[in-house]
Amino acid sequence: MYNVKNITNDLYWVGANDRRLALFEGVYDIPTGVSYNSYLLMDEKTVLLDTVDKAVAHQFFENIEHVLNGKKLDYLIINHMEPDHCAELQNLINKYPEIKIVCNAKIQTMINQFFDLSFPQEQYIIVKEGDTLQTGKHTLQFALAPMVHWPEVMVTYDTTDKILFSADAFGSFGAIDGNIFADEVDFDHRYMDEARRYYTNIVGKYGPQVQMLLKKAANMDIQMICPLHGYVWRKNLNIFIDKYQKWSTYEPEIKSVLIPYASVYGNTQNAAEILAGELANLGVKDIKMYDTSVTHPSYIVSDAFKYSHIVFASTTYNMGIFVSMENLLHDMNAHNIQNRKIAIIENGSWAAASGNLMTEIVSKWKNTEIIGNRLTLKSSLKTDQREDLKNLAKEIAATF
Ligand code: FEO
């Protein structure tokens, strides 16, 4: 049965939720699900903005049919060609063969990569930066947003109702629980962490490209943001735009210390716990610790974008960095993390090697400084080293 939501008088959300997907993109667990947003504009011409993942196709087609109520579907605008928004393209064309596809040239190339379509060229409207589409009352304008999150991405701005259809930008993990607007839920409490985890892991690498999009957006009068995942923003847009500003410039949100540790028998953990306590004694608030063997890197990457300081504590394993920590560090590297202050704790029962290896990785990060005296444990923390940990805490706190 259809399940649509009114966004404005003539704009409808016709997307759907997936609450059973184990891993988004085969990588990220999504305990609160994910929504695939598609929007249907019922102007003189009818316009579908993006489609959905194949997992929710049934719901999606029922939704479109209900809103169209017998009207013809005139246009499909494709802002992003990733299959979580395009997997149903062939089926959509089969159902609405007269539809015109509005996209840019890169998107058209990708359509032909993903599908074996015999779709006539005259049914394509290929757009460039700044081009517009008149649909009756509404004028839709297109702006390219390459690498937010793929090279073909564009966004669509409804100049009539001042709505930005932002593709993956301003999206979030988490299904839509009845409400459709971010101001109708306790977004900060319930969704901001997942919005950060979504941004940092999906688009975090492409900060400069997100900055380009934010600059374009600054020249638009935006009253509403309709992303491809998560809630629609119509109030306090600056809250989310400010977050994007920070995330895309790798500026920490808080001055505090994140401590991911890798510990086989608990001795490296012991040092990390004591350090965290000493930092707390110095007045540092909201310290966060993660066991890298327990928590998926996507959560730690996300907090790495939030915290100003990171202490990596790892035992040595096979003369290298412990596997879960090594994985995390490479993941952070891949997400372009930078502009942080880093301290290192290593452990090794016969030859501690993890400290140098971790330093080698993090010292390549832009605007990143290694602070404090590295602490080296030989199997376990010894009484005389407790003072060293206290001093390391002081050295870290001194850089706040
Ligand atoms: Fe939600 Fe980049 O796809």
Side-chain angles (χ1 to χ4, degrees), residues 201 296-298 301 326-336:
N201 285 281
H296 188 271
S298 65
V301 166
E326 186 171 34
N327 190 25
L328 171 68
L329 286 162
H330 287 310
D331 215 6
M332 287 194 184
N333 217 23
H335 289 94
N336 214 3

Side-chain angles (χ1 to χ4, degrees), residues 80 82 84-85 149 168 229:
H80 183 17
E82 194 164 5
D84 56 334
H85 310 291
H149 131 242
D168 273 343
H229 301 285

